[in-house]
Amino acid sequence: MIEIRALHKYFDDVHVLRGIDLDVNKGEVLSIIGASGSGKSTLLYCINALEGIDEGRITVDGVEVHAKSTDINKLRQKLGMVFQQWNSFPHLTALENVALSPRIVRKMSRSDARELAARRLEHIGLGDKLNSYPNALSGGQQQRLAIARALAMEPSYMLFDETTSALDPELVGEVLDAMRLLAEEGMTMICVTHEMGFARDVSDRVAYIHDGTIEEIGTPEQIFGNPESERTSRFLANVR
Amino acid sequence: MDYNFHWRPVFRSLPDLLNAGLVTLEVATLSMVFGVIIGIVFAIIRLNMRGPIRWFVISWIELARNTPALFQLFFFGFGLGAFGIHLTPFWIVLAGLTFNNAGYLAENFRGGFLAIPDTQMRAARSLGMNASQAYVRVIIPQVLRTVYHPMTNQMVWAVLMSSLGMLVGFRELSGETQFLASKTFRIFEYFAVAAVIYYVIVKIIIGSSRLLSFRLFRY
């Protein structure tokens, strides 16, 4: 379980997150929607401590993420992350991209790590690309590679940061399908997304973030069908 | 003006010259190995640290890049000698070249690090790697590719710069040439042949660097 309490975050003078309270339960799929610059991605980065926080507290399975005593490298193994700019490692093949962390972080043997990586890539439909370098893959394939790479650490949670925003429109589907598959398998997911269809169909809950606070959170039916907040309905009217 | 070329003594001592060529190659290679290691560390320090260690690094880089390489060699020879530290000619040249290489390479590497998007570091860290694992496995391999050709240049420069060794009594190719030439007074002939040997060494370095790049960088 991820618990976020009274979270504040500043970038210099800019107050990006203004008191976020949020619980994410095991097995839940939470989508975070909102305008650019509202703090959605920053919130995600705070959860695995790629960004520091200024006030408040985030705990993952009872471990405080930003406490000095926390072994953050160990905790991050629980928190898989997929980025907007897929960030595949260009000097490694698809297989090596996925096998690297299991080998050096989880200390698996070389052959075990490669076997795991091959399984992960096959599962996500890249079984024929094991020895391809990322520059030979499409954006959608690279993004699926990034998903496989994160999953190879066997995380308990997956954080998705606008994973389809940088993709050509015709490649969005394959990545969303991969995420859907993952949701069906019961993975706990936090998805910052602009894909309203995905948020509506796949999520258990949807949170609308406005100006660094959670304006409204609820089931997809509630948020998309009958939003309580005037701001939420205006935002949704604009994105549709 | 009549000067008769006498090549025979040069050809007779060709084995000595070739051996000296190997010494040149050896000292240049070692100075590159140390220079690359120090250069990477310096670039990381310069980009990420504050305080006295960073000032030391910047001073080193500034001195190495903005003073004559000859003076740098003299520092390790006569400079340290004045304080009672006497290095052998080999170590004077190796230390001088390493000092110089590290300075130039640190700046090359700094550019290389800046060319890697910081999202690569974030991705690596998000997978649970600690900072040094991320550097060694993800960032530095990409940096090495970015600065590969400038590094080859630096290696060539190190070979040519090692000829300054003759001024501190080191018998690398130039020192050996000078020694033999002054014994026989066939100065032009010796240095002409030595120049050819330098040329061949550099060509071999550039050729093998290119071959190696095909093997290393398949992406």
Side-chain angles (χ1 to χ4, degrees), chain A residues 183-222:
Chain A
E184 280 161 20
E185 289 168 356
M187 175 60 76
T188 312
M189 297 164 56
I190 304 180
C191 313
V192 169
T193 186
H194 290 298
E195 297 291 335
M196 295 305 149
F198 174 85
R200 182 205 295 265
D201 298 345
V202 181
S203 319
D204 299 304
R205 282 192 302 161
V206 177
Y208 169 60
I209 292 201
H210 174 79
D211 217 4
T213 56
I214 295 179
E215 177 76 20
E216 189 167 353
I217 183 165
T219 62
E221 294 74 29
Q222 181 198 324

Side-chain angles (χ1 to χ4, degrees), chain A residues 29-198:
Chain A
V29 177
L30 172 70
S31 287
I32 300 179
I33 60 173
S36 297
S38 59
K40 322 181 286 296
S41 295
T42 305
L43 174 60
L44 218 52
Y45 286 130
C46 287
I47 294 174
N48 69 355
L50 285 177
E51 288 288 351
I53 63 175
D54 294 297
E55 278 172 53
R57 193 160 56 89
I58 302 176
T59 58
V60 172
D61 296 340
V63 179
E64 195 170 337
V65 177
H66 295 267
K68 279 219 159 58
S69 56
T70 300
D71 180 352
I72 191 62
N73 298 319
K74 196 163 170 218
L75 190 63
R76 281 189 184 132
Q77 296 176 43
K78 279 191 176 184
L79 297 159
M81 182 152 197
V82 183
F83 299 82
Q84 183 177 1
Q85 297 291 349
W86 44 85
N87 298 340
S88 37
F89 302 140
H91 60 300
L92 301 177
T93 63
L95 187 75
E96 291 163 343
N97 257 278
V98 180
L100 179 62
S101 263
R103 194 152 64 79
I104 67 173
V105 179
R106 290 174 66 197
K107 312 283 182 208
M108 290 173 70
S109 74
R110 195 186 183 81
S111 56
D112 286 355
R114 291 175 77 88
E115 203 176 298
L116 169 72
R119 263 206 321 276
R120 277 291 162 204
L121 286 165
E122 273 153 23
H123 188 62
I124 213 148
L126 292 174
D128 56 338
K129 302 285 182 192
L130 299 185
N131 296 312
S132 302
Y133 283 91
N135 67 3
L137 302 178
S138 72
Q141 289 169 333
Q142 289 198 57
Q143 194 57 293
R144 283 187 284 147
L145 167 61
I147 294 172
R149 186 173 69 179
L151 289 175
M153 297 304 287
E154 288 172 6
S156 316
Y157 306 90
M158 285 289 286
L159 313 175
F160 291 90
D161 182 23
E162 298 187 27
T163 36
T164 56
S165 305
L167 293 176
D168 292 340
E170 76 272 21
L171 302 175
V172 168
E174 60 185 272
V175 173
L176 292 183
D177 286 346
M179 291 169 67
R180 262 194 196 102
L181 181 68
L182 199 55
E184 280 161 20
E185 289 168 356
M187 175 60 76
T188 312
M189 297 164 56
I190 304 180
C191 313
V192 169
T193 186
H194 290 298
E195 297 291 335
M196 295 305 149
F198 174 85

